[in-house]
Amino acid sequence: MKLKQKIDNLLDKDFKLVEKRKIIFAIPIVILVIAAVMMIIFHFTLGSALNLGTDFTGGYSVDIKLGNQLTDDNYQEYYDKITETLKSVKTENGKEYKITISGAMQRQGSGDNASIHVKYAAVNGVSESEMSKQINPAIISALEKSVLNKVPSVTIKDNVITATYDEPIDDTNAGSPFETLKNAFLAIVSDIGLTESDVDVKLNTENRKQIIITSSKTVENSSEVKDKIVSAMTLPDVYAGSVTGGDLVGATVSTELLFNAILAVSLALIFMLCYIGLRFQLSSGIACIIALLHDVLIMFAFMAIFNIEINSTFIAALITILGYSINNSIILFDRVRENMRTVYAKSMSPEGVANKSIKETLIRSINTTITTLIMILMIAIIGVSEIKIFAFPIIFGLLAGTFSSIFIAPSLWALFQRVGKNKQNFRIEPKNKNKKTEKKSKPTEIGA
């Protein structure tokens, strides 16, 4: 009740938002300047001003075929493994490349045909030949090792080495995985400064996920020793699947699809201008179109500031926001039209009419935005990665659209009314008008 009372008290006050148009117009300009600065920084640090996905720039793709191994329960686990692996890919000469995943991984097929499709961008400053001959094979090899094989996490404490796996290790026969791993470790004992007589290799029978190696000597606890143990004790899983790909992906959006999207948006803006101009005023239509252009620029600005990938999903989000924002603006200008028809309009300035209309539609606009924003935020927080990529630009667009429909569009309309031909609609009648009327209607004298 206290919140409602505060809102009611706020609405009872005289609104003078439109009069502060200089501050209103300065806010998006500041955001655009920040975006321009960040784009310059990203250009020199990351090699690209905007984080364009493979839909625009092209790139490469790889398919990890997992079959029945891929389930709803372990999908996130595979997702994390793939992401981490691509970030730490190394070529044969030890050079590390931080591969950037483009868009969201796509889960494809089901049952025996289940797989994960991954698109990634080419490394900046690397030729196509080097990508094909060195980096792509390194990516496939790294994915085969980390995703398809059973890779242990190794810890060393004094004279005890523990290799822990995600799944139980079978030791029921002479050729079991445990025997394979035991022999693999014994083959490298000399490389870590031990001998076969120094070590005892056993399987932890409680969880069957740990191989515990006890040595009579202290084992060196270094990353080099751990890497050798991990490499030797990685268990190939013949049932896990396969990794194929490294194929070049063309830039699909940057050609025909991008042109069609721009054409569709341009035609939509033209038709919106015609509709609003006929239904309300031409100045209202122009104000709405400028407000929509503001929304587009602000969405791009936030994507640039936070370096979020721009792909085909962004185009869908952009078109969604244009439709959402114009709806708010039309409702406001409907109130402007109704207020102009009242007897009070003759004694009000354009700013007064705009402020009154904002005041009457403010709660509706805020409530609509908040309810929509709650749903989008939930999707961004708990949704799958494919939906999250769509949710972030929608959030930016919602905020920009609400700001433009409440502040930008009515401020522009009032400004146009001030400088345009419709200014006379708001002239206050002169005080001596009644006197002039009285003189004209004065009765003639009798006998004149």
Side-chain angles (χ1 to χ4, degrees):
M1 294 298 292
K2 291 183 178 180
L3 178 61
K4 185 178 183 302
Q5 186 176 0
K6 290 181 179 180
I7 295 175
D8 292 338
N9 293 337
L10 178 63
L11 294 177
D12 288 338
K13 297 179 180 179
D14 291 334
F15 270 36
K16 292 186 178 181
L17 295 177
V18 175
E19 286 83 351
K20 300 177 181 179
R21 62 171 65 96
K22 291 183 179 180
I23 298 176
I24 292 172
F25 295 159
I27 293 174
I29 292 174
V30 170
I31 294 175
L32 293 175
V33 170
I34 294 173
V37 172
M38 294 303 298
M39 289 171 66
I40 294 173
I41 294 173
F42 289 141
H43 174 74
F44 288 103
T45 57
L46 302 179
S48 177
L50 292 172
N51 185 5
L52 298 176
T54 55
D55 290 335
F56 289 95
T57 62
Y60 298 85
S61 67
V62 64
D63 289 299
I64 300 98
K65 299 178 181 179
L66 299 167
N68 292 318
Q69 298 284 337
L70 181 62
T71 63
D72 293 336
D73 296 332
N74 63 16
Y75 173 75
Q76 188 61 43
E77 180 182 339
Y78 278 116
Y79 181 95
D80 295 337
K81 280 185 180 181
I82 294 170
T83 303
E84 189 63 31
T85 300
L86 290 177
K87 287 181 180 179
S88 57
V89 168
K90 294 181 180 179
T91 58
E92 293 180 357
N93 57 10
K95 189 174 182 180
E96 184 173 331
Y97 296 97
K98 293 184 178 179
I99 307 299
T100 303
I101 297 176
S102 179
M105 298 183 196
Q106 297 177 359
R107 182 177 174 180
Q108 299 178 340
S110 60
D112 294 338
N113 298 319
S115 64
I116 298 176
H117 181 74
V118 184
K119 290 191 291 186
Y120 56 93
V123 180
N124 289 327
V126 174
S127 65
E128 185 178 333
S129 175
E130 186 177 353
M131 284 292 301
S132 301
K133 295 179 180 179
Q134 296 185 26
I135 300 177
N136 288 337
I139 290 174
I140 293 175
S141 176
L143 289 172
E144 287 176 343
K145 183 177 179 180
S146 64
V147 179
L148 303 184
N149 297 334
K150 296 178 180 179
V151 182
S153 60
V154 175
T155 58
I156 300 175
K157 186 175 182 182
D158 298 330
N159 63 330
V160 178
I161 303 171
T162 304
T164 305
Y165 295 84
D166 294 332
E167 299 176 3
I169 304 300
D170 181 28
D171 66 338
T172 55
N173 54 64
S176 65
F178 171 71
E179 289 294 330
T180 301
L181 294 171
K182 178 180 178 180
N183 294 332
F185 176 79
L186 294 176
I188 64 156
V189 289
S190 59
D191 295 338
I192 59 176
L194 303 174
T195 62
E196 290 189 22
S197 59
D198 294 331
V199 299
D200 180 29
V201 183
K202 292 183 178 180
L203 180 67
N204 186 345
T205 55
E206 293 182 1
N207 58 24
R208 310 188 72 81
K209 293 183 179 182
Q210 291 179 326
I211 295 178
I212 301 174
I213 303 162
T214 307
S215 171
S216 59
K217 298 179 180 180
T218 301
V219 183
E220 181 184 350
N221 188 2
S222 65
S223 58
E224 183 179 354
V225 171
K226 288 182 178 179
D227 288 343
K228 289 181 179 180
I229 297 172
V230 169
S231 179
M233 299 187 71
T234 295
L235 183 65
D237 188 352
V238 296
Y239 301 103
S242 62
V243 179
T244 59
D247 299 325
L248 183 65
V249 178
T252 56
V253 176
S254 59
T255 53
E256 183 178 358
L257 182 57
L258 180 60
F259 174 78
N260 290 338
I262 295 174
L263 179 62
V265 171
S266 301
L267 290 175
L269 293 177
I270 293 173
F271 286 126
M272 287 179 188
L273 177 61
C274 295
Y275 169 77
I276 298 172
L278 292 173
R279 183 171 176 82
F280 303 106
Q281 290 177 315
L282 181 60
S283 57
S284 301
I286 296 174
C288 284
I289 298 305
I290 295 176
L292 291 178
L293 293 176
H294 159 274
D295 300 340
V296 172
L297 291 174
I298 294 301
M299 286 181 70
F300 269 105
F302 277 113
M303 297 293 281
I305 292 171
F306 295 103
N307 199 34
I308 298 175
E309 182 179 306
I310 298 175
N311 51 30
S312 57
T313 307
F314 175 74
I315 296 178
L318 188 65
I319 295 173
T320 302
I321 289 302
L322 290 179
Y324 186 91
S325 181
I326 195 66
N327 182 55
N328 282 341
S329 298
I330 287 176
I331 289 174
L332 185 137
F333 282 115
D334 183 63
R335 295 306 309 162
V336 169
R337 182 182 61 179
E338 294 299 322
N339 288 328
M340 287 177 62
R341 291 175 176 175
T342 62
V343 294
Y344 303 103
K346 293 183 179 180
S347 61
M348 294 175 68
S349 64
E351 289 79 8
V353 174
N355 285 328
K356 188 174 187 298
S357 303
I358 294 173
K359 185 176 180 179
E360 293 172 348
T361 59
L362 182 63
I363 296 301
R364 181 264 174 201
S365 298
I366 293 176
N367 287 341
T368 303
T369 301
I370 289 177
T371 53
T372 308
L373 196 59
I374 289 173
M375 297 303 297
I376 299 298
L377 284 173
M378 290 300 101
I379 292 174
I381 294 172
I382 64 176
V384 296
S385 55
E386 292 87 348
I387 300 298
K388 288 182 180 180
I389 293 177
F390 178 75
F392 285 118
I394 286 289
I395 292 172
F396 299 145
L398 278 174
L399 298 176
T402 303
F403 179 84
S404 66
S405 62
I406 295 176
F407 299 100
I408 299 291
S411 298
L412 287 171
W413 175 84
L415 182 62
F416 294 155
Q417 297 298 104
R418 278 290 181 190
V419 300
K421 295 180 179 179
N422 293 325
K423 182 178 177 181
Q424 66 269 19
N425 294 339
F426 295 93
R427 289 177 180 170
I428 300 175
E429 296 181 359
K431 294 181 180 179
N432 59 352
K433 183 176 180 180
N434 293 332
K435 294 181 179 180
K436 292 181 179 180
T437 304
E438 290 175 1
K439 288 182 180 180
K440 289 182 179 180
S441 59
K442 186 177 180 180
T444 57
E445 296 181 359
I446 299 173

